[in-house]
Amino acid sequence: VLVVAFVVFLALNPLALNADEAKRVTLGDEKEPTVELWLASSLTRVFPNTKPGSTKLELLAARNGTVSFQACMRNERVWSLLVNGAIEGSESLGSQVRLVGLVPMPHFTHNTPPEDLDGLDAIPGLVPDPLLPATEFRIGPRESRSYWITLKIPADAEPGKRELRFKFILGDHKHEFELPLTLDISPFVIQPRRDFHVIHWWRGEATWDYYKTGMFEDPRWWEITRGQLKNTLAHGSDVVYVPMFFDRREVFKRPCQLLVVEEPEPGKYKFDWTEVKRFTDMCKEIGFPKFEWSHLWIYWGVEHPIRIYKKDGDNYVMLWPEDEPAFSETYLNFLRQFLPSFHEFLLEENLLADSYFHLSDEPGEGQHVINYKAARKVLHELAPWMKVMDALSNIEYGRQGLTDIPVPLVDSAQAYIDAGISHWVYYCCLPNGKWLNRFLDTPLPKIRMSGWLFYHLKAEGFLHWGYNYWHMMASENIGDPYKDSSNGDWPWIPYGDPFVVYPGKDGETLDSIRWEVFAESLQDYAILQTMGIKPDDPMFAELKSYAEFPRSENWINDAIAKILKAPAQSNSVEQE
């Protein structure tokens, strides 16, 4: 009788369990537990075949920061199950509960050892990545899923431990079960990151092609774009890309080119900066402190000018052929008229000191170096005020001072480190293997180490090409990021490389797990900087390079705890 009464009690009442094992529950008239509930950190992917974990979770958070965790469930029933969930006890904190969605990943990233892959027993298959703005859903039979819970800790929050609860509401009869967790708020207050800038290239044409909006004349496009840019800033990207020109080599019917260029007579140009100003004004309003401008020569060799369009009726046509030589009189004539107008605009808008300029993306060796030198000579003569940065890995660009800010791939950065040349870093499709990156199968602790590596290895910034590249590669055909995150180009484009956000309904920007964890890594950078820890501190002894570093969640937790629980090191709102 007592056993039966206890089972009925479990079915009808919320229950908090302190054991380390997953909580096994029964619903209604079921005789055996058929649903298991547990908690997980933000550094564990919950695949559909993931086995239940522990209910024990203690979160450590700094003030003026965020911390995330997951509330997980596994349905062992033969029927699907209606599920809902909510966080309780977080009323004085900013909290958000999102369902972790699944996307297909047919293949692993190539040339990568097993220890640098996640989902070894789940891929090919469905991978958790998009964070969906929903809490109610149906979980299938013999399936595991999770919620992603984000807590925002105010700068003036009371330090100390708080008991929170995650409530699961299961089935049509809404059986409620709770899992408790502890949030330990440190007295430490994170200060804004300084002197390390982050760029993610944003694609305006992806927005109007995916959502079927108009171009710059459409208020809805501007509204969606504002949301996307606010999202990039909130995740630590403090430099905004301004698409003054359209920097793809493919010829688009609807290129995202803010600058209106007119050619009233052959070789004579007029420039209308109205849309550029509208865009930069919006970015200032959002809070961006830095601006990045379009390249002037097309990528991969500095062999041709950037594609620049003018309107011809309702059509966009290029000012010169695709194969126009890089230093033709046609293009030099254009630059002689454009660069003074550009300079005047930057001065009028007080943007020059906070701008980054590009010459050409990813030049290589040999003739590419010669071409780059020639282009830099042109800019020295026509725009001596323009300092340039480019993604390039050959150390010669740094040694010869051909660019003001070299941005090598992470697997080429050591040459710049050894030579003592200031630099940013980037990754793009490559490198794979043991090197730092953030593909769909990159273990989350590895992604979380990004900020630690940037800090210790003294990079001065980070650049990535793929914020919302939703088109099929090298095409104006829009893709479906929920179906193919390689944009139709695996294995050359690893799954997850082209974008870190997903398009939501009505233009909403949806985060990914990778995007959230990367933002956590930038928060770690800010913690290290706020604390005043030296980049060469002994705590970084295991961080040897962008390929040799700890990949353990325990290492990250121990390092953060050492900082946030050090009483002599803690700061406060009042002190700041």
Side-chain angles (χ1 to χ4, degrees):
V1 173
L2 288 174
V3 171
V4 172
F6 184 64
V7 170
V8 172
F9 175 80
L10 290 182
L12 299 179
N13 296 277
L15 180 68
L17 192 69
N18 293 319
D20 286 356
E21 297 179 350
K23 178 177 179 178
R24 306 180 70 221
V25 301
T26 58
L27 303 177
D29 297 330
E30 294 174 352
K31 295 181 180 180
E32 298 291 336
T34 56
V35 178
E36 297 187 72
L37 311 174
W38 72 99
L39 301 171
S41 75
S42 61
L43 298 182
T44 302
R45 286 188 177 92
V46 179
F47 294 89
N49 67 342
T50 293
K51 301 303 180 187
S54 169
T55 59
K56 185 177 181 181
L57 183 66
E58 181 169 321
L59 302 173
L60 176 60
R63 296 189 289 174
N64 198 34
T66 64
V67 64
S68 299
F69 71 99
Q70 295 176 86
C72 319
M73 69 223 79
R74 180 165 181 81
N75 178 23
E76 289 290 359
R77 306 161 85 239
V78 296
W79 302 99
S80 66
L81 176 66
L82 185 67
V83 181
N84 210 330
I87 184 71
E88 297 186 335
S90 63
E91 291 74 17
S92 62
L93 309 174
S95 62
Q96 185 180 22
V97 179
R98 291 171 286 181
L99 175 65
V100 180
L102 302 171
V103 292
M105 186 170 181
H107 314 283
F108 281 111
T109 300
H110 63 183
N111 192 33
T112 303
E115 60 269 23
D116 281 279
L117 292 171
D118 200 359
L120 288 173
D121 60 347
I123 300 171
L126 295 174
V127 175
D129 197 50
L131 299 180
L132 308 177
T135 57
E136 185 173 271
F137 75 106
R138 280 198 170 271
I139 184 172
R142 301 190 60 78
E143 180 181 314
S144 297
R145 298 293 298 276
S146 69
Y147 290 109
W148 188 276
I149 302 93
T150 302
L151 303 173
K152 296 184 178 180
I153 316 300
D156 59 354
E158 185 69 27
K161 291 189 176 183
R162 302 189 185 192
E163 297 304 317
L164 308 178
R165 301 171 305 282
F166 190 85
K167 180 195 293 183
F168 293 89
I169 305 166
L170 306 181
D172 295 326
H173 298 290
K174 302 189 183 306
H175 304 284
E176 295 184 1
F177 303 91
E178 292 181 355
L179 294 182
L181 64 145
T182 300
L183 172 64
D184 188 358
I185 300 177
S186 167
F188 184 91
V189 181
I190 304 174
Q191 300 303 310
R193 191 183 72 240
R194 307 180 311 276
D195 304 323
F196 180 86
H197 299 295
V198 177
I199 294 171
H200 284 85
W201 287 349
W202 153 89
R203 310 296 324 180
E205 69 280 3
T207 298
W208 59 53
D209 281 341
Y210 187 90
Y211 290 107
K212 310 302 180 189
T213 73
M215 297 174 69
F216 305 121
E217 78 285 352
D218 191 337
R220 186 164 177 257
W221 180 86
W222 286 94
E223 180 184 358
I224 296 171
T225 294
R226 176 183 287 271
Q228 292 171 346
L229 297 180
K230 288 176 68 175
N231 177 275
T232 66
L233 185 65
H235 285 76
S237 294
D238 60 340
V239 185
V240 62
Y241 170 65
V242 183
M244 174 176 61
F245 298 138
F246 184 61
D247 61 5
R248 296 296 304 174
R249 67 191 309 121
E250 305 85 39
V251 178
F252 270 40
K253 294 179 180 178
R254 299 203 301 171
C256 187
Q257 177 183 302
L258 285 168
L259 181 63
V260 176
V261 181
E262 298 177 0
E263 191 178 15
E265 57 181 283
K268 301 293 183 183
Y269 301 102
K270 293 174 60 178
F271 306 100
D272 182 348
W273 295 90
T274 303
E275 298 294 0
V276 180
K277 175 174 168 52
R278 181 180 179 183
F279 184 85
T280 55
D281 284 349
M282 179 178 72
C283 294
K284 291 176 186 177
E285 191 178 302
I286 290 170
F288 281 98
K290 300 285 184 180
F291 298 81
E292 176 199 22
W293 301 87
S294 306
H295 301 75
L296 296 178
W297 282 267
I298 207 68
Y299 44 90
W300 301 343
V302 204
E303 295 174 341
H304 305 288
I306 196 74
R307 312 322 194 192
I308 299 177
Y309 294 76
K310 65 179 180 179
K311 286 291 291 290
D312 181 7
D314 293 331
N315 299 319
Y316 287 84
V317 296
M318 291 203 308
L319 292 178
W320 39 74
E322 295 177 57
D323 60 354
E324 183 74 18
F327 309 107
S328 70
E329 179 55 30
T330 297
Y331 188 50
L332 294 179
N333 172 57
F334 175 85
L335 290 178
R336 292 187 195 107
Q337 297 174 65
F338 163 72
L339 289 170
S341 180
F342 186 24
H343 190 222
E344 182 180 357
F345 173 79
L346 293 169
L347 292 175
E348 287 178 352
E349 297 301 317
N350 196 28
L351 291 170
L352 182 57
D354 294 316
S355 287
Y356 294 98
F357 306 101
H358 290 293
L359 190 156
S360 184
D361 192 42
E362 294 188 322
E365 301 176 351
Q367 185 62 42
H368 290 191
V369 176
I370 297 171
N371 293 349
Y372 199 94
K373 282 182 178 180
R376 192 66 201 273
K377 184 174 184 293
V378 169
L379 294 183
H380 278 313
E381 294 173 354
L382 300 181
W385 47 268
M386 182 181 284
K387 294 186 183 247
V388 300
M389 66 181 296
D390 278 311
L392 39 76
S393 293
N394 186 336
I395 187 62
E396 286 306 310
Y397 292 94
R399 283 195 183 124
Q400 298 183 38
L402 301 182
T403 187
D404 297 294
I405 304 175
V407 188
L409 278 165
V410 292
D411 62 352
S412 300
Q414 193 61 47
Y416 286 84
I417 295 171
D418 294 343
I421 300 172
S422 298
H423 63 281
W424 292 28
V425 292
Y426 84 109
Y427 44 70
C428 167
C429 315
L430 295 170
N432 44 30
K434 301 183 74 66
W435 297 95
L436 182 70
N437 222 308
R438 60 177 189 212
F439 307 132
L440 269 182
D441 55 6
T442 303
L444 296 177
K446 183 175 179 179
I447 297 175
R448 179 71 179 270
M449 289 300 295
S450 300
W452 298 84
L453 289 163
F454 299 153
Y455 193 84
H456 171 59
L457 298 175
K458 302 177 185 177
E460 296 185 353
F462 173 79
L463 181 153
H464 194 271
W465 74 291
Y467 173 73
N468 67 328
Y469 195 112
W470 299 329
H471 281 94
M472 303 302 285
M473 288 306 304
S475 166
E476 198 169 3
N477 296 321
I478 197 68
D480 185 343
Y482 292 95
K483 292 182 179 178
D484 184 355
S485 60
S486 77
N487 293 0
D489 208 24
W490 181 89
W492 318 119
I493 303 291
Y495 291 100
D497 195 49
F499 55 84
V500 288
V501 295
Y502 291 81
K505 292 182 179 179
D506 300 322
E508 186 177 5
T509 303
L510 304 186
D511 299 320
S512 67
I513 287 178
R514 294 168 294 121
W515 190 222
E516 294 289 271
V517 172
F518 186 79
E520 289 181 356
S521 84
L522 295 179
Q523 179 173 272
D524 293 341
Y525 187 107
I527 289 173
L528 294 168
Q529 193 174 62
T530 301
M531 186 59 77
I533 295 172
K534 302 297 183 185
D536 297 325
D537 190 278
M539 73 178 297
F540 302 119
E542 295 180 67
L543 279 67
K544 308 294 186 184
S545 71
Y546 289 105
E548 188 179 351
F549 56 90
R551 289 148 164 78
S552 162
E553 181 175 354
N554 288 337
W555 188 96
I556 296 169
N557 291 340
D558 290 346
I560 289 291
K562 187 180 296 184
I563 298 171
L564 299 188
K565 291 187 174 183
Q569 299 286 342
S570 63
N571 61 2
S572 68
V573 173
E574 292 75 17
Q575 290 171 328
E576 295 301 328

